[in-house]
Amino acid sequence: MPVPPPDMPALLAELARFLERPQPDQTGAPSVSLEPQLQAALMWAQAQEGATPLADFLSALLVRMAQDGLRGRIAAQAAQFELLTLRAARAAEETERLSGDAQALNLMLARALPDLPQEWQGVLFSPEDYLAMNPDVAAAGVDPLAHYMAGGAAEGRAPRRITRATESLAELAARAVPPRPCRDMPETLRAATLALLGQERPEVSVILPTWNRAHTVVTAVASALLQSYAPKEVIVIDDGSRDATVALLQQRFPEPLSEGRLVIVAQENAGVSAARNAGLARAQGDVIAYLDSDNHWEADHLLYAVGGLLAVPGAQSAYTAISRHNLTQGWSDVLFRCFDRTRLEEENFIDLNSFVHRRVLVETLGGFDTALTRLVDWDLILRYTATIEPVALPVITGHHVVDSLGLDNITTREALGPNLAHIRAKRDSTAEVP
């Protein structure tokens, strides 16, 4: 049993004092919650000579706390979306009026209704819906059908609730609508997507690079293997990890490894671009998808992402919406924008974890630029979408997690300036070619 350093009792005593005194939260106010106390203790331990084991322990503890809280954060985000949707629906019920061609048909219906058989009137006009959508009519106590024919139709009031069902991913991609979680997609749309994938059956290779992510990689790999549209292979490229990443994967996923559904490629540390390129060289699928080892997908990610790619003739790439969770700063949002080449050249709004493309693009345009240490996804997406627009699906299918303390993400570790300059220089040189 190793002998602890002579000052370890003193270090532990000081750690105990950190856990006793309140620390400021993100607003600067004193907080008695455990997380700010542990963060303060971690910063202190990192500055103490001989306290590396203690700092490592505190860092691992903070990571585990953040992971435990992520599920609650995702649930809260979903609840917030539902609340916003309900509010929008209520506002539409109270204020929306028909216009254009819909209003012209509405007036024709109002003139024809009195002459229609009673059973047809019941199909085309709903007194219950009309009163629910028009509280002023309900408050006045007048007959809803009489109100509709006397003046309601001329005002643009609908005869019943009119809903537009999205029947295909191509239609969904063509509409500029806010993104929604994949679990909220209509069952008819999901069934149609499954049927489309069942007809074409494209094989999917998932590229998953990792470096010292034993504490998160299992969640990522499991989310990739348990897709409703299963990938042909999940290729994990271990980029010279010094932790137990490989051993843990071998222990947790023996069956997928023996069947070839999970492939582990080990290499000396060469950076994320080289790691992804190693995965691309090994990939056998018709379609390529990407997942980072500190993120995870919803079960229907490949269903919608790959389905969207197939739904639009000639499409070479597609992307979905993704939830982002910054555990360090304590916020969550959703990253999605309809495709706009000019905006994409200004800044990236497509998360690589939500991006899929046909493998032929690798063969014609090359893989990731190993000269970059950051913005590697932006560089690839700029090249892969230069001539053919990607399919943009407003469906939230994954979760991107950032934690500067526990995960040491590339975004928080690598400098932005040199990488940005390299990408702009490449674009400028390409633009000069006649």
Side-chain angles (χ1 to χ4, degrees):
M1 180 175 179
V3 178
D7 58 348
M8 187 57 70
L11 291 174
L12 292 174
E14 184 61 27
L15 172 61
R17 285 191 286 272
F18 267 102
L19 300 181
E20 292 171 357
R21 28 181 209 257
Q23 297 294 326
D25 60 14
Q26 296 171 358
T27 67
S31 171
V32 294
S33 64
L34 183 58
E35 184 177 357
Q37 291 173 314
L38 286 176
Q39 288 176 343
L42 174 60
M43 295 177 63
W44 169 81
Q46 289 173 335
Q48 305 303 310
E49 185 176 355
T52 300
L54 182 59
D56 291 344
F57 169 75
L58 292 172
S59 179
L61 188 59
L62 279 165
V63 169
R64 193 57 69 185
M65 287 178 60
Q67 290 174 328
D68 289 344
L70 182 60
R71 182 172 298 179
R73 184 181 297 278
I74 292 171
Q77 187 186 54
Q80 183 181 34
F81 266 88
E82 291 175 2
L83 178 60
L84 291 174
T85 301
L86 288 172
R87 286 178 176 172
R90 176 60 59 84
E93 287 177 0
E94 295 177 353
T95 63
E96 191 172 79
R97 294 289 184 267
L98 299 178
S99 61
D101 292 344
Q103 173 61 351
L105 292 171
N106 191 34
L107 292 172
M108 292 174 61
L109 174 63
R111 288 192 290 268
L113 266 178
D115 299 326
L116 293 177
Q118 190 70 33
E119 59 269 21
W120 275 104
Q121 288 187 14
V123 171
L124 299 173
F125 182 87
S126 169
E128 295 80 10
D129 285 357
Y130 192 79
L131 293 176
M133 293 187 297
N134 301 283
D136 57 329
V137 179
V142 299
D143 178 79
L145 180 58
H147 183 278
Y148 174 72
M149 291 189 295
E155 296 171 357
R157 300 180 190 241
R160 63 181 306 128
R161 294 187 191 276
I162 300 175
T163 58
R164 178 183 178 186
T166 303
E167 297 181 355
S168 72
L169 289 183
E171 181 185 2
L172 179 62
R175 297 170 58 192
V177 297
R180 296 289 297 150
C182 56
R183 64 180 177 85
D184 289 350
M185 292 296 104
E187 188 56 39
T188 53
L189 176 65
R190 188 175 187 276
T193 306
L194 279 170
L196 175 63
L197 290 167
Q199 291 172 1
E200 302 202 22
R201 299 299 302 175
E203 295 183 337
V204 181
S205 294
V206 178
I207 308 299
L208 197 158
T210 186
W211 181 62
N212 294 334
R213 287 285 190 273
H215 52 293
T216 62
V217 69
V218 169
T219 301
V221 170
S223 77
L225 289 171
L226 296 175
Q227 289 291 295
S228 56
Y229 183 73
K232 171 184 176 63
E233 57 189 357
V234 177
I235 305 173
V236 176
I237 308 93
D238 183 70
D239 192 35
S241 294
R242 298 186 301 272
D243 62 8
T245 293
V246 173
L248 185 60
L249 291 175
Q250 291 171 339
Q251 179 185 12
R252 294 293 294 271
F253 302 106
E255 185 175 332
L257 280 168
S258 65
E259 296 173 348
R261 292 186 293 119
L262 177 61
V263 178
I264 300 176
V265 177
Q267 65 179 34
E268 296 295 325
N269 183 256
V272 66
S273 291
R276 290 197 181 113
N277 286 341
L280 290 173
R282 171 63 176 76
Q284 302 177 42
D286 309 303
V287 176
I288 305 296
Y290 300 93
L291 181 61
D292 293 339
S293 57
D294 44 8
N295 302 323
H296 66 277
W297 288 332
E298 294 287 341
D300 281 344
H301 167 70
L302 291 180
L303 171 74
Y304 288 112
V306 180
L309 183 64
L310 301 181
V312 178
Q316 295 294 301
S317 62
Y319 65 94
T320 61
I322 198 161
S323 292
R324 298 185 297 185
H325 309 280
N326 191 310
L327 304 183
T328 305
Q329 300 177 9
W331 56 259
S332 295
D333 69 357
V334 173
L335 178 65
F336 181 79
R337 185 188 295 275
C338 295
F339 187 74
D340 184 322
R341 182 68 191 182
T342 301
R343 285 185 175 271
L344 184 66
E345 290 179 347
E346 295 173 354
E347 63 175 346
N348 190 23
F349 54 81
I350 301 175
D351 193 295
L352 188 65
N353 292 260
S354 71
F355 186 68
V356 299
H357 63 81
R358 298 188 184 276
R359 187 168 56 133
V360 67
L361 292 181
V362 182
E363 300 166 0
T364 57
L365 299 174
F368 291 86
D369 188 343
T370 55
L372 292 168
T373 59
R374 185 176 169 185
L375 305 179
V376 294
D377 50 348
W378 187 31
D379 174 70
L380 183 96
I381 291 168
L382 280 170
R383 288 186 283 118
Y384 282 13
T385 61
T387 57
I388 300 178
E389 289 192 1
V391 179
L393 289 168
V395 186
I396 305 170
T397 63
H399 302 275
H400 184 130
V401 184
V402 175
D403 182 3
S404 59
L405 287 176
L407 296 176
D408 191 26
N409 304 86
I410 289 176
T411 304
T412 62
R413 186 179 71 243
E414 298 292 340
L416 174 65
N419 293 284
L420 184 60
H422 181 76
I423 292 176
R424 286 176 174 166
K426 288 171 60 177
R427 285 168 47 195
D428 292 342
S429 63
T430 302
E432 292 173 359
V433 176

